[in-house]
């Protein structure tokens, strides 16, 4: 694990440049010269995952009363067993969440067994196509695709036991495992992490009869849900305040990251952390920067990944670099997926966080910014308005012009930004932390098991 | 219990605050264990509880006023509870401009500022049943539509999704058998506990009061403090601010008594 202030890989041959080359210092009159940029160093390989936090580690964050609430909630289901099933152990938000949730439930004595389904390339190609189709893309569902899906489901069913009291199936890939249900002795829950608001009718028509056999479904937003004859619980996505992306950092480390990336902390910093993806609208952010820059001095940081393994991401990155031109106050960083500490540092160094997406899922980068008590300007799309309550926990915008105006306003009214930041952090603390997620699971288990009082 | 303390409470119950104050002073003079009297020992223990809630997505959704009205009329009581009482906890850190989800949606998403303001005027503490809350919301929306028929044409790009809340009441390790212990418990209790006892209690009690005030009045004999607690404005304070105000009122009483 990379320690604050250290490079996470000691082999210099395996270090690559993650930021733009050094730019001329202080291009504007009256602006403090920025330190010259060094070549920032980030490992080419992911560092080993840090150990999962213990329940007691959360006490300084959520307080003893909330921790006790979790324990009291868990005690009637202590000793009962849960199985979580998804389609990947590594990578992706679901695996990341399960890596944090399973140890927490275990520590609360709700014994949780996490299993991953297996399948051939044909199965995962089909489930990837299902995933896109459920998000609304065109897809021609063939009998062959259905057969591959059902055959692989059956192979997994034969390899697995379902003798736990609570079976939680994540997303569409393993949804067919409900076929293993023989009676009502266990409670089956389908946890859907994707947006089903406009699904391809054929694919949803294929999956819906399976989903309707569950005891309950769980969605991340009311807008993502379908009309179903089973109860539908609402679990907001969450962040782990103790993860590398969100934990408190030494100021020395933050400074070092900023120095590495050529970010001048003596001047305002406005940051968008996102993949280089058109739907994240980095070009719109650059336009907003140029509009606002006429009135206020600040630096813009666009940092994210997606360019290395996505041809379109590379194109978007190039367009952003061209739009930025030789402006030394625009810092564009392409980061590998294991840059959690660096992203954390950049967010903490920022004066304002932006998320000017054109389309969004829940928008966990917004949650991260709010958790760091940063005034946040974000588009009113997807799950963002659930997090950013306009003028209360942040500022919602609907256009480039709106984004530019709010940057100007916040930079000239810092006290207002401080209040928004405080509210934003409280909002996350109450609703979007990993401990809240654990609480929701315990509540659902108790409600399904009939021990709700 | 000290006989003089009991006498003071009996007097308070029958003669109002002025007599109660006099009797309390008398009680404090009379008792040989002054410390006990200053702590305002209670007749019964106050057992701090808390509540945990799980949200469920309901079938109703609204993109315009007519759909909102229909949704409010047909949704479950758990849904009314969620969008009025419960949302105060979810947004406990906000002290201005947020009172209930219906008002917020009408104001921000539908752009009907007048309706938003009227709905925001709804004070859940004036209601002892969810049915009555529902009726009042329906009245407000219907009145607004009658006065502003063109408002029916307005459509929000962001629908209002009706949700409901299932609640599980949980114990805590906090209890109090005196005012001193009660104040200590208030300091240690989680905000969910404050919400449960101070705001949601009305639905359980069917009284326009809260668990704290009822205990202070009935078991400690503090009528005035019970009334003062009921005057705290939950819509212009954060829940943490509400807690501070409760503690301040009770500490003043303890300070005056010592």
């Amino acid at each position: 694990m990379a320690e604050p202030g250290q490079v996470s890989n000691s082999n210099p041959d395996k270090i690559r440049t993650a930021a733009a080359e050094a730019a001329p210092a202080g291009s504007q009159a009256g602006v403090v010269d920025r330190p010259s940029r060094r070549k920032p160093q980030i490992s080419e390989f992911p560092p080993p995952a840090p150990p999962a936090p213990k329940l007691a580690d959360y006490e300084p964050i959520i307080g003893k009363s909330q921790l006790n609430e979790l324990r009291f909630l868990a005690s009637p289901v202590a000793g009962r067993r849960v199985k979580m099933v998804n389609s990947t152990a590594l990578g992706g938000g679901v695996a990341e969440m399960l890596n944090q949730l399973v140890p927490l439930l275990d520590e609360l004595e709700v014994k949780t067994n996490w299993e991953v389904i297996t399948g051939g390339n044909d199965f995962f190609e089909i489930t990837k196509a299902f995933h896109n189709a459920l998000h609304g893309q065109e897809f021609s569902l063939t009998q062959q695709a259905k057969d591959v899906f059902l055959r692989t489901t059956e192979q997994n069913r034969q390899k697995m036991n379902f003798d736990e009291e609570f079976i939680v199936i994540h997303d569409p890939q393993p949804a067919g495992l409900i076929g293993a249900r023989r009676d009502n002795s266990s409670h089956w829950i389908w946890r859907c992490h994707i947006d089903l608001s406009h699904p391809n009718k054929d694919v949803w028509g294929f999956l819906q009869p399976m989903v309707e056999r569950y005891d309950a479904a769980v969605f991340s937003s009311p807008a993502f849900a379908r009309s179903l004859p089973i109860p539908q619980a609402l679990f907001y996505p969450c962040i782990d305040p103790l993860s590398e992306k969100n934990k408190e950092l030494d100021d020395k480390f933050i400074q070092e990251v900023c120095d590495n990336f050529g970010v001048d902390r003596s001047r305002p910093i406005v940051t968008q952390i996102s993949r280089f993806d058109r739907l994240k609208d980095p070009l719109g952010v650059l336009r907003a920067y140029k509009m606002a820059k006429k009135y206020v001095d600040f630096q813009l940081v666009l940092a994210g990944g997606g360019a290395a393994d996505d041809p379109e991401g590379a194109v978007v990155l190039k367009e952003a670099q061209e739009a930025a031109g030789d402006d030394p106050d625009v810092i564009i960083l392409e980061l590998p997926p294991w840059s959690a500490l660096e992203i954390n540092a950049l967010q903490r160094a920022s004066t304002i966080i932006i998320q000017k997406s054109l389309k969004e899922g829940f928008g966990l980068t917004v949650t991260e910014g709010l958790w760091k008590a940063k005034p946040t300007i974000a588009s009113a799309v997807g799950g963002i308005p659930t997090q950013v309550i306009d003028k209360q926990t942040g500022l919602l915008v609907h256009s480039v012009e709106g984004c530019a105006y709010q940057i100007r306003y916040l930079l000239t009214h810092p006290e207002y930004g401080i209040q928004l930041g405080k509210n934003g952090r409280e909002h996350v603390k109450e609703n979007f932390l990993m401990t809240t997620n654990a609480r929701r699971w315990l509540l659902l288990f108790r409600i399904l098991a009939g021990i709700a009082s | 219990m000290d006989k003089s303390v009991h006498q003071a409470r009996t007097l308070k119950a029958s003669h109002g605050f002025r007599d109660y104050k006099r009797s309390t002073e008398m009680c404090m003079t009379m008792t040989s264990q002054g410390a006990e009297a200053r702590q305002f020992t209670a007749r019964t223990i106050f057992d701090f509880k808390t509540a945990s809630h799980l949200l469920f997505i309901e079938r109703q959704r609204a993109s315009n006023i007519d759909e909102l009205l229909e949704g409010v009329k047909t949704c479950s009581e758990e849904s009314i509870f969620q969008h009025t009482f419960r949302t105060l906890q979810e947004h406990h850190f906000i002290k201005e401009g947020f009172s209930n989800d219906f008002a917020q949606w009408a104001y921000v998403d539908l752009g009907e500022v007048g309706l938003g303001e009227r709905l925001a005027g709804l004070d859940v503490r004036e209601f002892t049943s969810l049915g009555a809350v529902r009726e009042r919301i329906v009245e407000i929306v219907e009145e607004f539509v009658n006065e502003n028929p063109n408002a029916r044409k307005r459509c929000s790009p962001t629908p209002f999704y009706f949700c409901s809340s299932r609640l599980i009441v949980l114990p805590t390790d906090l209890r109090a058998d005196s005012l001193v212990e009660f104040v200590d418990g208030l300091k240690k209790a989680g905000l969910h506990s404050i919400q449960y006892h101070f705001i949601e209690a009305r639905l359980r009690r069917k009284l326009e009061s809260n668990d704290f005030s009822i205990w202070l009045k009935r078991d400690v004999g503090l009528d005035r403090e019970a009334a003062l607690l009921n005057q705290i404005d939950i819509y212009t304070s954060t829940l943490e601010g509400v807690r501070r105000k409760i503690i301040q009122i009770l500490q003043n009483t303890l300070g005056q008594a010592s």
Side-chain angles (χ1 to χ4, degrees):
Chain A
M1 183 179 79
E3 290 296 322
Q6 292 182 339
V7 174
S8 54
N9 189 313
S10 57
N11 182 350
D13 295 335
K14 298 295 181 191
I15 305 294
R16 70 173 176 174
T17 302
E21 290 298 313
S27 60
Q28 292 189 0
V31 172
V32 179
D33 280 355
R34 77 160 95 204
S36 61
R37 289 183 202 173
R38 284 181 268 152
K39 287 184 179 178
Q41 298 173 320
I42 293 181
S43 165
E44 271 198 1
F45 301 107
K54 297 283 181 198
L55 209 49
D57 298 334
Y58 292 93
E59 188 174 325
I61 297 166
I62 62 170
K64 190 179 176 189
S65 58
Q66 281 211 36
L67 211 55
N68 282 344
E69 195 177 315
L70 265 179
R71 292 190 174 113
F72 280 122
L73 201 50
S75 61
V77 280
R80 303 199 186 195
R81 292 184 305 135
V82 177
K83 187 196 290 293
M84 299 269 179
V85 182
N86 79 322
S87 62
T88 175
L90 283 173
V94 178
E96 193 177 320
M97 183 273 293
L98 286 173
N99 264 313
Q100 297 151 350
L101 177 68
V102 170
L104 277 188
L105 291 177
D106 262 342
E107 201 181 335
L108 288 162
E109 295 181 44
V110 180
K111 297 300 168 199
T112 306
N113 177 25
W114 174 14
E115 293 188 29
V116 176
I117 57 165
T118 55
N121 285 344
D122 53 351
F123 174 73
F124 285 109
E125 276 166 19
I126 285 164
T127 55
K128 174 73 180 168
F130 277 15
H131 178 94
N132 292 338
L134 290 169
H135 274 112
Q137 275 189 18
E138 287 293 317
F139 178 68
S140 176
L141 180 63
T142 62
Q143 187 57 46
Q144 189 195 359
K146 291 182 192 174
D147 290 344
V148 170
F149 183 89
L150 293 173
R151 191 168 59 243
T152 308
T153 299
E154 177 58 18
Q155 287 162 357
N156 278 285
R157 188 189 70 76
Q158 287 178 7
K159 283 189 279 185
M160 299 165 92
N161 290 317
F162 295 95
D163 53 2
E164 292 86 354
E165 183 170 351
F166 303 99
I167 314 287
V168 184
I169 305 294
H170 292 263
D171 280 336
Q173 300 94 327
L177 290 174
I178 187 70
R181 182 177 200 168
R182 292 287 165 257
D183 53 34
N184 289 329
S185 61
S186 51
H187 306 284
W188 286 70
I189 302 157
W190 187 53
R191 173 57 170 114
C192 180
H193 296 269
I194 64 176
D195 179 354
L196 289 186
S197 55
H198 299 95
N200 174 290
K201 281 183 183 165
D202 290 343
V203 174
W204 177 240
F206 175 61
L207 292 172
Q208 187 174 357
M210 301 176 202
V211 170
E212 290 182 353
R213 288 193 60 198
Y214 285 80
D215 294 306
V218 177
F219 289 93
S220 299
S221 161
F224 296 174
R226 305 295 305 162
S227 180
L228 290 168
I230 55 174
Q232 299 182 67
L234 177 57
F235 285 28
Y236 295 121
C238 59
I239 58 166
D240 185 351
L242 298 174
S243 69
E244 303 223 316
K245 189 86 75 77
N246 296 301
K247 68 181 184 182
E248 295 291 330
L249 294 175
D250 284 346
D251 193 66
K252 189 180 161 207
F253 177 70
I254 297 172
Q255 186 63 53
E256 189 161 334
V257 169
C258 288
D259 289 346
N260 267 338
F261 290 155
V263 178
D264 177 4
R265 289 181 78 194
S266 69
R267 294 167 55 220
I269 303 161
V270 176
T271 300
Q272 173 160 302
I273 306 283
S274 269
R275 290 194 321 274
F276 289 97
D277 179 326
R278 289 199 197 287
L279 293 178
K280 308 299 179 189
D281 201 18
L283 298 181
V285 178
L286 278 158
R287 284 167 55 209
Y289 160 79
K290 286 175 183 170
M291 287 180 191
K293 185 78 173 182
K294 292 176 196 166
Y295 305 94
V296 281
D297 174 54
F298 67 101
Q299 303 154 90
L300 175 68
V301 177
L302 293 175
D309 54 0
D310 172 12
E312 196 190 342
V315 172
V316 175
L317 172 63
K318 190 162 181 288
E319 287 173 359
Q321 286 167 332
E322 284 170 4
D326 58 359
D327 187 335
D329 280 341
V330 178
I331 299 144
I332 298 177
L333 306 168
E334 190 207 346
L335 303 174
W338 47 89
S339 311
L341 281 170
E342 287 78 7
I343 288 171
N344 186 348
L346 284 171
Q347 287 169 326
R348 288 182 187 279
S350 298
T351 319
I352 296 170
I353 298 288
I354 289 188
Q355 191 62 54
K356 217 206 96 30
S357 303
L358 302 174
K359 203 171 175 185
E360 192 55 82
F362 187 71
L364 281 175
T365 50
V366 172
T367 327
E368 291 161 12
L370 295 176
W371 177 242
K372 286 151 192 141
K374 296 297 171 183
T376 300
I377 300 169
S379 301
V381 295
I384 290 176
T386 303
Q387 304 181 66
V388 175
I389 303 166
D390 194 31
K391 299 181 179 63
Q392 302 285 358
T393 62
L395 298 170
L396 286 177
V397 294
H398 305 80
S399 63
V400 168
E401 290 78 4
C403 184
Y405 176 78
Q406 299 298 14
I407 292 171
R408 287 162 54 192
Y409 191 83
L410 282 178
L411 289 180
T412 50
H413 297 79
E415 70 295 339
Y416 181 53
I418 288 169
Q419 188 54 50
L420 291 178
K422 276 185 186 167
N423 284 351
R425 183 174 166 93
E426 286 299 318
H427 193 25
V428 175
K429 185 175 165 185
E430 180 65 40
N431 298 298
F432 311 122
L433 288 188
M434 178 54 64
T435 42
T436 312
N437 192 30
R439 190 172 79 208
R440 290 183 180 124
W441 280 113
L442 294 169
L443 280 162
L444 185 57
F445 295 155
R446 284 185 59 165
I447 288 168
L448 289 176
I451 35 178
S453 57
Chain B
M1 188 196 312
D2 188 298
K3 195 176 171 185
S4 59
V5 176
H6 179 71
Q7 183 187 10
R9 284 186 194 128
T10 311
L11 278 168
K12 173 207 154 207
S14 55
H15 301 290
F17 175 66
R18 188 181 297 171
D19 290 336
Y20 165 63
K21 191 178 176 195
R22 194 176 61 230
S23 67
T24 306
E25 285 161 358
M26 181 175 66
C27 139
M28 300 190 58
T29 312
M30 284 163 66
T31 180
S32 55
Q33 287 86 32
E36 188 191 348
R38 282 194 294 272
Q39 284 186 9
F40 296 95
T41 308
R43 262 185 224 166
T44 58
I45 287 174
F46 188 91
D47 212 350
F48 285 87
K49 291 188 169 62
T50 189
S52 228
H53 303 255
L54 186 63
L55 271 175
F56 285 90
I57 302 161
E58 298 291 297
R59 62 180 174 79
Q60 293 90 348
R61 55 181 63 182
S63 293
N64 57 46
I65 290 185
D66 285 338
E67 289 172 3
L68 179 71
L69 197 54
E70 183 62 19
V72 172
K73 284 178 179 174
T74 60
C75 70
S76 62
E77 288 206 335
E78 288 82 3
S79 191
I80 298 288
F81 175 74
Q82 167 59 29
H83 295 299
T84 53
F85 283 82
R86 255 290 287 160
T87 194
L88 284 174
Q89 181 180 306
E90 283 176 13
H91 305 101
H92 66 76
F93 45 86
I94 296 173
K95 62 181 175 188
E96 55 191 29
F98 195 102
S99 51
N100 62 68
D101 291 338
F102 300 117
Q104 181 77 5
W105 181 76
Y107 197 100
V108 175
D109 296 305
L110 192 60
E112 284 297 350
V113 178
L115 178 60
E117 284 180 355
R118 290 187 202 187
L119 286 167
L122 188 85
D123 184 344
V124 293
R125 293 177 307 168
E126 292 170 4
F127 300 90
T128 57
S129 80
L130 289 165
V133 178
R134 187 204 303 270
E135 278 174 29
R136 183 68 193 123
I137 296 168
V138 168
E139 268 176 25
I140 291 171
V141 178
E142 284 181 341
E143 274 174 22
F144 182 81
V145 170
N146 288 339
E147 291 166 23
N148 305 276
N150 284 338
R152 303 180 105 126
K153 295 175 190 162
R154 199 185 282 262
C155 200
S156 165
T158 311
F160 184 92
Y161 296 99
F162 285 78
C163 293
S164 61
S165 190
R166 286 286 304 273
L167 168 152
I168 293 183
V169 180
L170 300 166
T172 72
D173 52 9
L174 299 171
R175 43 200 49 83
D177 66 359
S178 69
L179 189 59
V180 171
E181 283 184 13
F182 183 68
V183 171
D184 191 48
L186 283 171
K187 289 176 182 170
K188 292 175 181 166
L191 289 176
H192 296 175
S193 179
I194 306 289
Q195 164 90 9
Y196 174 76
H197 287 298
F198 195 66
I199 296 173
E200 295 174 5
R202 287 165 171 78
L203 296 177
R204 269 181 287 116
R205 300 281 193 174
K206 307 288 180 200
L207 293 171
E208 287 176 19
S209 189
N210 63 82
D211 291 341
F212 297 154
S213 290
I214 288 169
W215 182 77
L216 288 166
K217 183 174 175 177
R218 187 192 62 204
D219 292 326
V220 193
L222 293 173
D223 280 29
R224 188 183 72 102
E225 286 74 4
L228 285 174
L229 259 56
N230 269 323
Q231 288 171 12
I232 294 173
D233 189 347
I234 57 172
Y235 291 104
T236 55
S237 301
T238 62
L239 204 47
E240 193 58 62
V242 166
R243 182 216 303 265
R244 278 199 300 273
K245 284 177 185 169
I246 296 171
I247 291 171
Q248 191 180 15
I249 288 167
L250 300 179
Q251 278 181 333
N252 284 347
T253 300
L254 285 168
Q256 284 162 13
S258 61

